[in-house]
Amino acid sequence: ELDQGKTNYQAGTDFENIVRDSLKFLGFTIDHAHKGGAGGLDLFCSKPYPLVGECKAGKKIPNDTAVQLLNLGTLRLNNQELLKKTAKLIIGPGEPTKQLMDAAIVHGMAIINPETLEKLVKLQSQYPNSVDLIILKNYLIPGQADQEVEKYINHVSEKLKLRSHIVHLVKKLIDNRDNHTVGVEMIDGAYNFSNPPQSLTHPELHEILIELSSPLTGYLGRIKGTDSKSDCFYFLRDLPMD
């Protein structure tokens, strides 16, 4: 039994480390003073906003998880008011008990499955900086939050598909012409007949074209005109979608 207990402890520690690494990859600043373990807070992230978390590797997420998180969070933050504003997260593959679910809703704790966290990591890995942690916070609703986080992932994916479509359209327009640039007016006209993922106004399309031609993204290049209607763009690299 001692060996089994040690195995469970090790499994829990390994799980904590995976969760911690995943959150760090997404852009959270992890306070490494908190290593979890017996009597310790599993997770504390200080930026971009405070987040406290408990990791539960077992088949069930026990009743006392919410109490643990509240107590340890209070000890860590040493400020009851700050704890109320702090994001609270419970991560585990098991099913939360009804009592825990009720407590999580009352105390504003989001419960998510590791698979949901893995999907966020995959999105961030394929499209660096695509996960906006400030916006993600709005989807970490009290109680079981997997469906809400999935909504966020789908929302980001749709935005990426739209941008991929626009990059491909610019490339196609240039391939069909002798000139290596194409004007925003021509892109706007062609966009409406390109079976677009969504309709866009001219200013909306222009804004996305500028975003895609930023040095930080670098999918398109831009030759600035005298006004927004005389800008020209050219293709630099693909934005592939799975």
Side-chain angles (χ1 to χ4, degrees), residues 223-240:
I223 299 172
K224 193 172 181 180
T226 53
D227 56 37
S228 64
K229 292 186 177 181
S230 58
D231 279 355
C232 288
F233 295 88
Y234 52 94
F235 173 80
L236 288 175
R237 64 189 178 99
D238 277 315
L239 174 52

Side-chain angles (χ1 to χ4, degrees), residues 106-118:
V106 169
H107 296 293
M109 298 174 181
I111 303 172
I112 67 168
N113 195 288
E115 289 177 4
T116 303
L117 181 60
E118 189 180 349

Side-chain angles (χ1 to χ4, degrees), residues 5-99:
K6 186 176 179 182
T7 303
N8 288 341
Y9 176 79
Q10 187 58 50
T13 303
D14 291 346
F15 181 57
E16 282 174 27
N17 289 335
I18 290 167
V19 170
R20 200 176 284 116
D21 289 346
S22 298
L23 292 174
K24 184 178 179 181
F25 182 76
L26 290 175
F28 283 103
T29 300
I30 308 292
D31 184 342
H32 288 286
H34 292 275
K35 291 290 185 183
L41 183 64
D42 292 345
L43 290 169
F44 176 68
C45 305
S46 56
K47 292 177 182 177
Y49 44 81
L51 179 146
V52 291
E54 279 291 306
C55 304
K56 297 296 176 185
K59 292 179 181 178
K60 281 276 184 186
I61 305 178
N63 289 338
D64 62 355
T65 306
V67 175
Q68 279 182 355
L69 187 51
L70 281 176
N71 289 344
L72 295 171
T74 303
L75 286 171
R76 171 61 185 84
L77 297 170
N78 202 24
N79 185 321
Q80 197 69 37
E81 285 305 308
L82 181 57
L83 182 62
K84 285 181 184 177
K85 298 174 186 175
T86 296
K88 293 173 275 294
L89 188 62
I90 297 169
I91 301 179
E95 191 172 332
T97 63
K98 184 183 183 304
Q99 186 179 331

Side-chain angles (χ1 to χ4, degrees), residues 156-166 197 241-242:
V156 174
S157 296
E158 290 304 313
K159 287 177 70 176
L160 287 165
K161 283 176 188 171
L162 173 62
R163 282 148 181 79
S164 177
H165 180 88
I166 292 169
M241 294 296 297
D242 288 341

